Amino acid sequence: MEADPRDQTRIERVSARIADLGDWRNLPPLLWTLGEEPADEFGIGILTEVVGTIPAGEDPLTAELLTLEWADALQLPERPAIAGRREFARDCELSDNMPVDRIRIWCDSV
């Protein structure tokens, strides 16, 4: 299945908006992917989200610390733990001017 070029454009727009925060705080860039999940428990509606992760190659402790730094920079509250990983997310506001409904980052828990 061929990738939709609109998905890459969304990722690029989010990444560009967030990159300035990372530069300002001297954080390495995150790897971004586009995801979807049901908007509610009944499966009605779809939320689009960008999911950021620390690039491979970082040791687990460093990856967790960098994820915490990014969560702070993006003002993402922690969500309940999911099977050994830490996850931070927030729904986007209209004023965020993001092409997605939610920003989420995660890392494996140390």
Side-chain angles (χ1 to χ4, degrees):
M1 182 175 180
E2 191 173 321
D4 186 339
R6 292 174 296 183
D7 290 348
Q8 187 59 36
T9 301
R10 282 186 192 177
I11 292 170
E12 289 169 1
R13 283 181 59 199
V14 170
S15 182
R17 291 184 128 327
I18 291 172
D20 289 337
L21 276 174
D23 290 345
W24 184 67
R25 291 196 175 204
N26 201 26
L27 294 171
L30 295 172
L31 298 176
W32 294 101
T33 57
L34 197 62
E36 293 182 342
E37 70 177 45
D40 63 24
E41 66 271 13
F42 303 109
I44 298 172
I46 298 291
L47 287 176
T48 58
E49 63 180 4
V50 286
V51 181
T53 55
I54 301 298
E58 295 288 349
D59 67 88
L61 182 58
T62 301
E64 187 168 5
L65 291 173
L66 289 171
T67 301
L68 290 170
E69 287 284 331
W70 268 110
D72 182 55
L74 297 171
Q75 299 176 3
L76 303 177
E78 189 162 8
R79 294 173 74 175
I82 300 174
R85 73 181 195 189
R86 295 186 75 175
E87 187 173 292
F88 304 84
R90 77 171 169 84
D91 292 343
C92 294
E93 305 279 333
L94 189 58
S95 61
D96 291 332
N97 194 22
M98 291 286 188
V100 294
D101 301 311
R102 178 180 294 143
I103 298 172
R104 181 168 56 101
I105 62 174
W106 68 271
C107 68
D108 291 327
S109 189
V110 178

